[in-house]
Amino acid sequence: MMKKTVNDLDAVRHSARFIREKVCNVQAGTLGLVLGSGLGAVRERITAHVDLPYAEIPGLPQSTVEGHGGFLRAGLLGGQPVVALCGRVHLYEGYTAAEACLNVRILAELGVRTLMLTNAAGALNPLFSAGTLMCITDHINFSGQSPLTGPNCDAWGPRFPDLSQVWCPRLLALAASQARRLGLVLERGVYIQVAGPNLETPAETRAYRRLGADAIGMSTAIEAIAAAHMGLRVLGISCLTNKNLPDCMARTSHQEVLEMAGKASADMALLLEAVAGALPGLDSAGVDSAGLNPAR
Ligand code: HPA
């Protein structure tokens, strides 16, 4: 008999049904948002909201890390319906990649087609400053795990999904234009996910930079894989909390990461609100909103 895994359609649909019953304003086409470490200011921009603690949601793993709030907030961002997951779980907490990506699976089952992923990350590109934002153009999954390991759920997506365009170029362009309009610095670059929880040695930092990464963190790439598997279009914004440079390696603490994320989260909030508000314009401007990821 086929082994049951957390890639369990029934369990995820049960979670989605529960959320829909508790939060009445989840409609198809709602924007999904995953908020990473210290990015509290973003959730404060969500108006007319209803909150649901993760502890109440069946099937959603609990985050155990300081700075990860651990609740779902449904409301409006930039006037658009949004479901925000405030806090995520990580591989280093002992979760498998499939478990860590149940957040994305549940959002998609709720009807989310556009997903904004955020995180705190170290800047590997020496030209990038701590405290600025970076739009993810591509990723390297260096975590050693994939959310697709195990039996494939055909209702979600194919066994061997194409990843040639995980990060939606139209959303990237929209984020860049909104950042310009707001006068915010928005770098663009490749995000590498490592398993953590330890930070990197100088030799590792040098290696990751040579692999082509501009920013490094412990989440997000696996979520983007799960989202791509389900045909979602994805925007990723990293908050660069520290410079991670091999030849002038500074000590970095989780506290410092949270503090810097807190400072930059006001900019992140402005940007995401503007992007959310501009999405209807993007979708009415010709190409079908799902046109880049036709799998779903
Ligand atoms: N490395 C890995 N993860 C991180 C970092 C870093 O320098 N900063 C924030 N998250």
Side-chain angles (χ1 to χ4, degrees):
M1 202 177 79
M2 181 80 83
K3 186 170 158 277
K4 254 197 179 281
T5 71
V6 291
N7 281 333
D8 187 326
L9 185 62
D10 291 342
V12 169
R13 288 196 170 156
H14 176 65
S15 311
R17 234 182 349 261
F18 176 88
I19 294 167
R20 231 183 265 114
E21 276 163 17
K22 293 277 174 189
V23 182
C24 46
N25 62 347
V26 182
Q27 42 192 273
T30 291
L31 187 59
L33 175 59
V34 179
L35 290 176
S37 309
L39 296 169
V42 183
R43 61 178 187 246
E44 302 310 322
R45 307 292 287 210
I46 298 175
T47 56
H49 61 79
V50 181
D51 289 350
L52 205 50
Y54 286 174
E56 289 180 17
I57 302 174
L60 188 64
Q62 304 285 309
S63 50
T64 58
V65 184
E66 192 198 337
H68 294 264
F71 64 94
L72 175 152
R73 174 164 289 182
L76 297 173
L77 182 65
Q80 297 306 304
V82 67
V83 175
L85 295 180
C86 307
R88 57 157 64 89
V89 301
H90 298 83
L91 300 176
Y92 60 73
E93 293 173 76
Y95 292 106
T96 64
E99 287 166 336
C101 293
L102 283 170
N103 57 355
V104 172
R105 301 300 194 189
I106 291 170
L107 285 175
E109 284 293 342
L110 278 171
V112 162
R113 302 294 322 278
T114 302
L115 179 63
M116 304 201 293
L117 298 174
T118 68
N119 59 46
L124 296 174
N125 185 325
L127 300 177
F128 294 175
S129 307
T132 57
L133 304 179
M134 186 193 89
C135 212
I136 301 176
T137 55
D138 205 349
H139 74 250
I140 299 170
N141 176 14
F142 209 77
S143 72
Q145 289 201 46
S146 166
L148 309 184
T149 299
N152 185 55
C153 176
D154 296 333
W156 285 341
R159 171 76 286 190
F160 300 106
D162 173 69
L163 294 189
S164 61
Q165 203 170 81
V166 175
W167 304 91
C168 174
R170 299 182 78 227
L171 290 177
L172 263 162
L174 180 66
S177 70
Q178 293 301 320
R180 247 187 330 269
R181 192 176 64 75
L182 293 165
L184 298 175
V185 173
L186 181 63
E187 307 289 4
R188 293 163 64 91
V190 173
Y191 174 90
I192 188 167
Q193 177 176 354
V194 290
N198 52 279
L199 294 157
E200 296 70 43
T201 65
E204 287 166 345
T205 292
R206 189 174 293 107
Y208 296 142
R209 179 71 184 138
R210 287 195 182 157
L211 283 178
D214 297 288
I216 184 164
M218 302 173 193
S219 65
T220 309
I222 56 171
E223 292 170 343
I225 293 170
H229 182 231
M230 300 178 92
L232 306 188
R233 64 177 180 176
V234 187
L235 175 70
I237 311 279
S238 293
C239 169
L240 303 176
T241 52
N242 55 290
K243 294 197 76 148
N244 192 332
L245 304 179
D247 297 319
C248 50
M249 207 78 184
R251 295 181 72 85
T252 304
S253 68
H254 185 59
Q255 194 53 36
E256 184 190 331
V257 165
L258 290 182
E259 277 170 21
M260 189 53 96
K263 282 188 194 147
S265 72
D267 287 351
M268 180 78 92
L270 278 177
L271 179 62
L272 294 185
E273 186 179 49
V275 168
L279 269 175
L282 183 79
D283 291 342
S284 60
V287 185
D288 167 26
S289 62
L292 290 162
N293 267 328
R296 217 159 179 253

